Amino acid sequence: MSATTAPVTSLTVNTRVYEGQKPGTSGLRKAVKVFQQEHYTENFVQAILQALGDQLIGCTLVVGGDGRFYGKEAVAKIIRIAAANGVGKLIVGQNGILSTPAVSTIIRKYKTQGGIVLTASHNPGGPDADFGIKFNCDNGGPAPDNVTNKIYEITKTLQCYKIIPDISIDIDKIQNISIEVDGRPFTIDIIDSVNDYVELMREIFDFASIKKLLQDSADKPAFKVLINSMNGVTGPYVKRIFSELGVDDTSLVNIKPLEDFGGLHPDPNLTYAKDLVNAIKEGPYDFGAAFDGDGDRNMILGKKAFFVTPSDSLAVLAANLKLIPYFQKTGIKGYARSMPTAAAVDRVATKNGAKFFEVPTGWKYFGNLMDVGDLSLCGEESFGTGSDHIREKDGIWACLAWLNVIAGLGKSVENILLDHWKVYGRNFFTSVPLLLFQISELIIGSRYDYENCDSASADKMMQSIETLIQKPEFIGRKLQHGGKEYIVKQADNYSYTDPVDSSKATKQGLRILFVDGSRIIFRLSGTGSSGATIRMYIDSYENDPATLEKDAQLVLKPLINIALELSELRQYTGRDAPTVIT
Ligand code: G16
């Protein structure tokens, strides 16, 4: 439906500066109550628009989010402020719903100047939980540091914002509305949230062979999947895609997006997606997948809840990309991972003679490499996997990629992993203790998280580790535990120079690299909404066939203890155990 409404005029509203509107790893994330303060959201949106500079007048932007509490209010504010600032057109997801990968898809497909994503990703939602606003650029990817710094600088001096208070649009209805604003045309296109993304998935994957895998046939029973959207934004996308693949609703769980995610913490890991883990452990399923609030993270499980670490998931997909039609067409240009991610994919790159890149934590660092055609597949330990089909990590894409590979190889998830390790060796990646010093209770995971620590203590701990590892005599030092010895080869605070535009990112995490390729890494999270979260990552490589199937906790125990002793983490944080097991 199309409609034209009466001309309107913009107003300028005086505001006051809010401290701390500095985007973190991926956008501005704060408690809902912070965003609800008078002018707070308006200021940040105004700053995003002003940062567009010459591109602003007449531009097209995409707007949508993960459906969490305050999302619709934020969309209404963005419409009013964008109209007043001279934006030409907004493409808005129906009900304000667009997954993060869908925003990236739509920006690229319709060649818009960018998009505003309303999400705090995997953080909980609801009036007492978190909200977030993120800007994506015209390549569809999260704004790089130079853009977020520009936005932040604007927030520090903002005196006023422009708005049209009386525009009120029903975003629950698919429609196209034209309004004359200050004599200029302004259009709002409310679109189906799912269509463009699903169309892209059909172009990338072999839907016919996945469908065959998922159906009963004369020669084999259906490969049974259980998909859990954690009441986040992926529900409608999962429903549309998996219905098309012949999977019935009983195998699709939590697929209604809810403002508070039904009380779930929508982070697909072994802690917060425990329901999925238990259902797969006990049920008849061959495969399980869960996604986070905004649909860019994924967790993959095999039969009996065999856990695929995100680092292994990346490496397995890298080794089997040729089974996916998209890569048969585009070829494989190169692989990349974030620095703390285990180095499993590096070995696939070496074996295939493909380009390989290590970047700091944050999907935004992959964008340039994809834009110049050097990168096809990348991933992060934080349950992010994706390719150059868009410029965001993509949960449903990862799930379909696995199903496409399984259909091609005709093997179980576990056997795919075992065979992969036989060829490439295995990167054991941190085990996570329930109680740090009761090793019998360790379970396999990818990272230790100590959430919501006192920021000053966390900073002090990082400072003390940095001082220690920067002493010249630290290099060559032998660190021992439980009869295992590791010799320090290199230690630093990681910095990165982008090979495309030479921009630099410094202080990206403390790294201790050992002669045998093992690594200990400490960094502070950039996605929390309060306090500090310390992340401790441990990566150890083994290629002895006798070790490949060993319990990860036993292999990693010495290195875990070395990391805990060296960092004095317990003393600084007063924590005996991590908050989260991922
Ligand atoms: C965001 C970024 C990811 C990054 C993660 C790290 O994830 O998009 O690229 O790996 O943050 O988070 P932290 O700084 O807390 O370790 P998401 O899914 O929250 O957008």
Side-chain angles (χ1 to χ4, degrees):
M1 195 191 94
S2 288
T4 306
T5 64
V8 289
T9 313
S10 63
L11 284 183
T12 299
V13 175
N14 290 330
T15 184
R16 69 172 183 87
V17 166
Y18 279 98
E19 302 290 329
Q21 291 198 324
K22 185 172 172 52
T25 310
S26 199
L28 183 69
R29 287 187 196 166
K30 301 277 179 199
V32 165
K33 295 211 159 42
V34 172
F35 278 97
Q36 283 173 325
Q37 295 171 92
E38 189 183 27
H39 307 316
Y40 188 93
T41 300
E42 288 85 344
N43 278 15
F44 193 66
V45 173
Q46 178 71 35
I48 289 175
L49 297 177
Q50 273 180 222
L52 278 164
D54 294 346
Q55 282 191 305
L56 175 62
I57 301 298
C59 75
T60 300
L61 298 176
V62 180
V63 181
D66 59 15
R68 70 178 57 223
F69 183 82
Y70 194 63
K72 282 191 166 181
E73 267 175 86
V75 172
K77 287 181 191 227
I78 291 168
I79 292 173
R80 293 181 189 129
I81 297 169
N85 276 277
V87 169
K89 179 174 173 179
L90 290 181
I91 301 176
V92 180
Q94 187 181 16
N95 298 309
I97 293 275
L98 284 176
S99 72
T100 293
V103 172
S104 191
T105 303
I106 295 165
I107 291 173
R108 293 173 68 76
K109 180 168 175 180
Y110 299 106
K111 300 191 179 5
T112 77
Q113 280 69 42
I116 300 178
V117 198
L118 304 166
T119 175
S121 184
H122 53 286
N123 296 13
D128 297 318
D130 288 345
F131 190 71
I133 302 183
K134 176 169 106 158
F135 180 68
N136 279 30
C137 294
D138 57 0
N139 70 347
D145 292 337
N146 65 326
V147 177
T148 54
N149 289 340
K150 198 167 166 190
I151 295 170
Y152 178 47
E153 288 307 314
I154 295 170
T155 66
K156 291 201 282 190
T157 56
L158 198 77
Q159 301 287 320
C160 57
Y161 57 85
K162 286 184 175 173
I163 193 160
I164 301 175
D166 42 3
I167 294 187
S168 170
I169 307 289
D170 178 5
I171 60 166
D172 295 348
K173 216 162 74 189
I174 293 184
Q175 55 178 332
N176 177 288
I177 296 160
S178 300
I179 309 173
E180 191 187 299
V181 178
D182 297 336
R184 278 189 301 254
F186 173 64
T187 307
I188 303 164
D189 224 350
I190 315 287
I191 61 162
D192 178 282
S193 311
V194 177
N195 279 349
D196 295 300
Y197 179 80
V198 174
E199 200 174 282
L200 181 63
M201 293 302 109
R202 280 192 210 108
E203 285 165 20
I204 293 174
F205 296 108
D206 182 351
F207 267 40
S209 76
I210 299 176
K211 188 168 182 177
K212 203 163 153 218
L213 174 78
L214 303 182
Q215 305 303 307
D216 281 321
S217 67
D219 50 337
K220 58 145 202 66
F223 186 81
K224 266 189 96 49
V225 299
L226 187 63
I227 310 293
N228 191 329
S229 289
M230 301 188 85
N231 297 321
V233 74
T234 55
Y237 300 84
V238 161
K239 168 90 177 133
R240 184 89 62 92
I241 290 170
F242 282 89
S243 303
E244 192 170 324
L245 293 171
V247 175
D248 68 54
D249 281 6
T250 56
S251 296
L252 311 177
V253 182
N254 296 330
I255 55 168
K256 188 169 169 18
L258 298 175
E259 286 199 331
D260 64 350
F261 306 111
L264 295 180
H265 187 142
D267 198 359
N269 58 46
L270 294 171
T271 304
Y272 294 130
K274 207 147 192 53
D275 282 0
L276 177 74
V277 175
N278 291 340
I280 303 235
K281 225 178 236 167
E282 287 148 23
Y285 303 102
D286 299 294
F287 179 91
F291 312 111
D292 71 336
D294 63 326
D296 56 2
R297 295 184 176 207
N298 75 93
M299 177 171 75
I300 301 294
L301 299 172
K303 210 172 178 60
K304 301 269 174 260
F306 179 91
F307 174 58
V308 183
T309 70
S311 310
D312 273 342
S313 174
L314 172 63
V316 166
L317 292 181
N320 293 291
L321 272 193
K322 287 195 178 128
L323 294 170
I324 298 173
Y326 174 85
F327 298 101
Q328 290 160 5
K329 274 182 243 140
T330 63
I332 298 166
K333 297 158 188 163
Y335 306 113
R337 62 165 168 80
S338 66
M339 182 274 283
T341 304
V345 70
D346 310 24
R347 294 167 216 290
V348 179
T350 307
K351 189 158 188 288
N352 293 355
K355 286 184 191 154
F356 167 74
F357 304 89
E358 181 186 62
V359 308
T361 293
W363 206 261
K364 58 193 171 192
Y365 294 107
F366 296 122
N368 275 350
L369 295 165
M370 290 183 177
D371 288 348
V372 297
D374 274 346
L375 179 56
S376 294
L377 176 81
C378 51
E380 296 187 279
E381 51 64 43
S382 54
F383 294 83
T385 326
S387 91
D388 62 351
H389 65 291
I390 52 172
R391 296 293 181 271
E392 285 280 6
K393 54 194 193 279
D394 189 343
I396 293 177
W397 177 93
C399 171
L400 292 171
W402 264 92
L403 292 173
N404 202 145
V405 165
I406 292 166
L409 296 177
K411 292 195 260 185
S412 70
V413 172
E414 185 168 357
N415 283 338
I416 290 176
L417 262 299
L418 294 178
D419 290 349
H420 184 90
W421 294 333
K422 276 182 205 145
V423 176
Y424 296 95
R426 177 174 177 189
N427 279 78
F428 288 87
F429 194 47
T430 42
S431 301
V432 183
L434 295 170
L435 287 168
L436 285 180
F437 303 104
Q438 294 185 4
I439 206 72
S440 60
E441 296 195 37
L442 293 178
I443 61 161
I444 298 173
S446 61
R447 191 176 71 192
Y448 289 30
D449 291 344
Y450 298 79
E451 286 183 343
N452 227 336
C453 295
D454 169 56
S455 294
S457 308
D459 288 344
K460 260 194 218 151
M461 188 198 84
M462 294 296 279
Q463 190 51 57
S464 129
I465 303 172
E466 187 161 4
T467 308
L468 173 74
I469 67 174
Q470 281 184 342
K471 289 187 179 144
E473 64 269 25
F474 190 69
I475 308 301
R477 202 166 135 184
K478 294 177 177 149
L479 302 174
Q480 288 143 343
H481 201 282
K484 260 283 270 190
E485 181 177 87
Y486 295 87
I487 305 168
V488 178
K489 184 177 158 205
Q490 188 189 337
D492 56 17
N493 197 337
Y494 177 64
S495 62
Y496 173 73
T497 304
D498 186 296
V500 180
D501 64 12
S502 302
S503 58
K504 285 192 172 28
T506 56
K507 298 187 191 306
Q508 296 294 314
L510 302 173
R511 304 191 294 177
I512 305 170
L513 313 182
F514 297 98
V515 169
D516 74 345
S518 300
R519 305 184 302 158
I520 295 175
I521 291 146
F522 291 93
R523 63 177 279 281
L524 296 180
S525 156
T527 58
S529 59
S530 62
T533 293
I534 300 166
R535 303 213 194 280
M536 181 171 100
Y537 314 82
I538 291 168
D539 177 14
S540 176
Y541 177 69
E542 301 282 342
N543 62 3
D544 173 2
T547 313
L548 293 180
E549 290 185 51
K550 270 199 183 157
D551 227 357
Q553 66 253 34
L554 294 178
V555 177
L556 291 172
K557 182 183 168 190
L559 213 49
I560 292 167
N561 282 302
I562 288 169
L564 290 171
E565 278 166 22
L566 178 143
S567 61
E568 299 182 277
L569 196 143
R570 274 186 313 163
Q571 291 87 321
Y572 278 104
T573 63
R575 300 281 178 89
D576 261 358
T579 347
V580 179
I581 298 170
T582 65

